[in-house]
Amino acid sequence: MTEISAPDAPDTAVPGKPVVATPEERAAALSRGWIVPAVIGSALMMQTLNATVLSNALPAMARDMGEDPLRLNLAITMYLLAAAVFLPISGWAADKFGAKRIFILAMVLYALSSALCGFADTLLELVGGRLLQGAAGAMMAPVGRLVLLRTTPKNELVGAMSVLTMPALLGPVIGPPVGGFIVTFWDWPWIFFMNLPIAAAGLLLVIRFVPNVALQDAKRLDWKGMLLTGIGLACVIFGFENLGRDVLPALAVAGLFAAGIAMLWTYAWHARRTPHAILDLSLFRLSTFQAAVVGGAFMRIAMGATPFMLAMLLQVAFGMTALAAGLLTFIGAAGALIMKTTAPPILRRFGFRRVLIVNSVITGVFFLAYAAFQIDTPHWVIMLVLLAGGFFRSLQFTSLNGLAYAEIEQDRMSRASTMSAMAQQLIQSVGIGLAATLIHVFTQMAGQSEMTAETISPAFLVIGALTFVSLVFYVRLPKDAGDDMNRRS
């Protein structure tokens, strides 16, 4: 297949003369706007499906392995840790070897590591398989997004990103009931084995439809920066994982945080003196990128924590089966999928700044509302709250994902995609670790040995309250932030 470069800007139309697209132009627009993002999104569905299935299966897996359910969050945290550590080289690898080639390789490695997870008998073996899976996933999501960024004009990007996330959102829709069915009637290893046929179908679609992107001028890999960021992120995430757990001494946990912060600070010093540092920190000087990544981080903490906390609340505290809990929670992802078709016109009508400010308040209120769920709460009420919460949460993340690239030029797209994806993985892992820590602390404060609704609900309140911090970043945005992406006059 012929390699293609970044799309050129459209020719200026002659005043008074209608612009008629040729059949070739219409076919190219259809491919850019629908076919390519849908195929890439279908490949990413494997990741989102596995993540939501796993969250719902954790209590059953804990029973089989003889582990505390809270300890099984390691299976999620270690995946996100590996993804955060390996993400910095994804952009470099795509530039060096070709984005499509790296994307295909990542899919193959993801399928193989999924098989290893399915054959795991202990928590240690499972964590090892999840680390390999996270490393493969680190290449898949940002590189797939990079293909889209380099083949789509900026004024078509919001629509293409919405199409990209539609198949990926099918994972959270079907994941909880599928996971519940597998755990209830089969056995949990099949939540990993089912990735194999999905990967095979995805590979065929990618090879057939996704274009090759022209190779970029890849600079020498910044190994020193990779080590500093990798060790720093690992220390910070392990620190959150063990905070308040009584697994490691308090001094050791403090040492992890201190070492992580020192490594990341050293990287910041190194990046200012290295022309091609592995992570481009200068991106944060752009107001739109800063608002999307840093401001959006407080919302992503809640997004990472919520599936884990809902699984603990519904299955451990309320005593539901995995299937019953999955049939309740999938509705939130269904709401998110519905929103994807309406997000672009909403953004064109009101603009990024206004949507982010108003919708962040609405989304935060719904996160807080999850704390009100009780064992006798009617299921239709729970489903209605989750449906509406998923609807508005999807609008928020569609807005953030589009705004992040509003001021990014083509030659910095790979670095922006890498930085954005790494931040998302890191923040979600922090969210899961923070949620587990809060539940543990509230359980101890209540003098109980097991989780109950009374010890899980306060964690929803704390996590939900954090989302409102993002408003500080959104109110500082210019009123016309991201207008070029929305074709707003």
Side-chain angles (χ1 to χ4, degrees):
M1 190 177 292
T2 304
E3 290 188 348
I4 63 174
S5 301
D8 297 325
D11 295 332
T12 304
V14 178
K17 182 178 180 180
V19 178
V20 179
T22 65
E24 291 78 10
E25 290 172 337
R26 288 196 295 269
L30 176 64
S31 178
R32 288 196 310 265
W34 286 94
I35 297 177
V36 172
V39 169
I40 295 174
S42 297
L44 301 183
M45 185 183 74
M46 181 168 55
Q47 286 181 282
T48 59
L49 176 64
N50 200 234
T52 50
V53 168
L54 182 61
S55 294
N56 200 35
L58 286 182
M61 294 169 65
R63 287 193 298 270
D64 282 359
M65 293 183 176
E67 298 281 352
D68 186 308
L70 284 180
R71 291 301 296 165
L72 261 291
N73 79 306
L74 271 172
I76 301 176
T77 304
M78 292 302 100
Y79 174 92
L80 296 172
L81 168 62
V85 169
F86 282 91
L87 269 168
I89 68 170
S90 62
W92 173 85
D95 290 344
K96 180 73 172 177
F97 302 107
K100 181 176 179 178
R101 186 178 300 168
I102 294 298
F103 190 64
I104 291 173
L105 177 63
M107 291 183 67
V108 172
L109 292 177
Y110 193 90
L112 293 176
S113 57
S114 296
L116 291 177
C117 291
F119 287 116
D121 292 320
T122 65
L123 179 58
L124 182 61
E125 292 176 357
L126 178 64
V127 166
R130 289 287 286 173
L131 285 170
L132 293 175
Q133 201 178 38
M139 298 292 178
M140 202 181 330
V143 173
R145 188 183 300 115
L146 181 59
V147 172
L148 195 67
L149 292 170
R150 284 187 173 156
T151 58
T152 307
K154 190 168 286 188
N155 60 359
E156 298 177 13
L157 198 53
V158 171
M161 293 287 275
S162 292
V163 175
L164 171 75
T165 52
M166 282 182 187
L169 281 172
L170 283 176
V173 171
I174 65 178
V178 167
F181 182 86
I182 289 174
V183 170
T184 303
F185 298 105
W186 288 346
D187 201 1
W188 64 262
W190 286 98
I191 68 178
F192 296 104
F193 294 149
M194 69 178 180
N195 285 337
L196 303 182
I198 296 175
L203 278 171
L204 293 176
L205 291 172
V206 170
I207 292 171
R208 172 64 180 85
F209 292 106
V210 174
N212 288 316
V213 179
L215 296 179
Q216 305 294 310
D217 181 20
K219 308 300 181 182
R220 187 174 63 178
L221 183 60
D222 177 21
W223 288 102
K224 184 182 293 185
M226 181 180 173
L227 289 174
L228 288 171
T229 55
I231 296 173
L233 291 172
C235 288
V236 170
I237 292 175
F238 271 118
F240 273 103
E241 174 65 29
N242 290 281
L243 189 65
R245 301 290 195 86
D246 300 326
V247 177
L248 293 178
L251 188 61
V253 175
L256 285 172
F257 280 116
I261 292 172
M263 287 289 180
L264 295 177
W265 183 89
T266 303
Y267 174 77
W269 177 86
H270 162 79
R272 288 195 295 268
R273 291 157 178 78
T274 304
H276 302 290
I278 196 165
L279 294 178
D280 186 0
L281 299 182
S282 66
L283 291 167
F284 290 104
R285 297 174 190 162
L286 304 175
S287 62
T288 50
F289 190 83
Q290 183 185 99
V293 176
V294 182
F298 297 96
M299 193 69 66
R300 294 186 191 281
I301 287 176
M303 185 185 75
T306 297
F308 171 75
M309 291 196 296
L310 283 175
M312 297 298 110
L313 180 68
L314 298 178
Q315 295 187 50
V316 179
F318 292 176
M320 291 184 183
T321 64
L323 179 58
L327 290 173
L328 275 182
T329 56
F330 92 96
I331 197 69
L337 187 60
I338 295 169
M339 169 53 78
K340 286 301 176 183
T341 62
T342 58
I346 291 175
L347 287 169
R348 282 194 293 270
R349 172 66 179 84
F350 297 105
F352 280 94
R353 182 179 181 272
R354 189 183 302 177
V355 169
L356 286 171
I357 291 174
V358 174
N359 197 61
S360 63
V361 175
I362 298 173
T363 305
V365 168
F366 274 104
F367 278 126
L368 294 174
Y370 299 159
F373 294 161
Q374 298 295 325
I375 194 169
D376 57 352
T377 301
H379 287 182
W380 69 267
V381 173
I382 295 177
M383 295 180 73
L384 183 62
V385 173
L386 292 177
L387 176 68
F391 184 85
F392 290 105
R393 185 170 67 247
S394 177
L395 175 59
Q396 196 74 1
F397 292 129
T398 298
S399 305
L400 292 171
N401 289 337
L403 184 66
Y405 304 101
E407 299 178 83
I408 306 296
E409 301 300 328
Q410 280 292 335
D411 60 349
R412 302 177 77 188
M413 280 295 188
S414 65
R415 299 171 74 79
S417 178
T418 298
M419 177 67 80
S420 176
M422 192 202 73
Q424 290 179 30
Q425 295 283 8
L426 171 63
I427 293 303
Q428 287 188 51
S429 65
V430 169
I432 295 168
L434 180 60
T437 298
L438 288 170
I439 294 173
H440 177 77
V441 169
F442 288 130
T443 301
Q444 285 193 326
M445 289 175 60
Q448 299 178 8
S449 58
E450 296 183 357
M451 291 177 285
T452 64
E454 289 70 26
T455 62
I456 298 175
S457 294
F460 277 112
L461 295 177
V462 174
I463 296 291
L466 283 176
T467 63
F468 296 106
V469 179
S470 61
L471 286 168
V472 175
F473 295 86
Y474 304 151
V475 297
R476 297 187 298 185
L477 284 170
K479 291 184 178 180
D480 61 351
D483 278 3
D484 289 344
M485 304 183 73
N486 281 328
R487 295 177 176 172
R488 302 179 79 233
S489 57

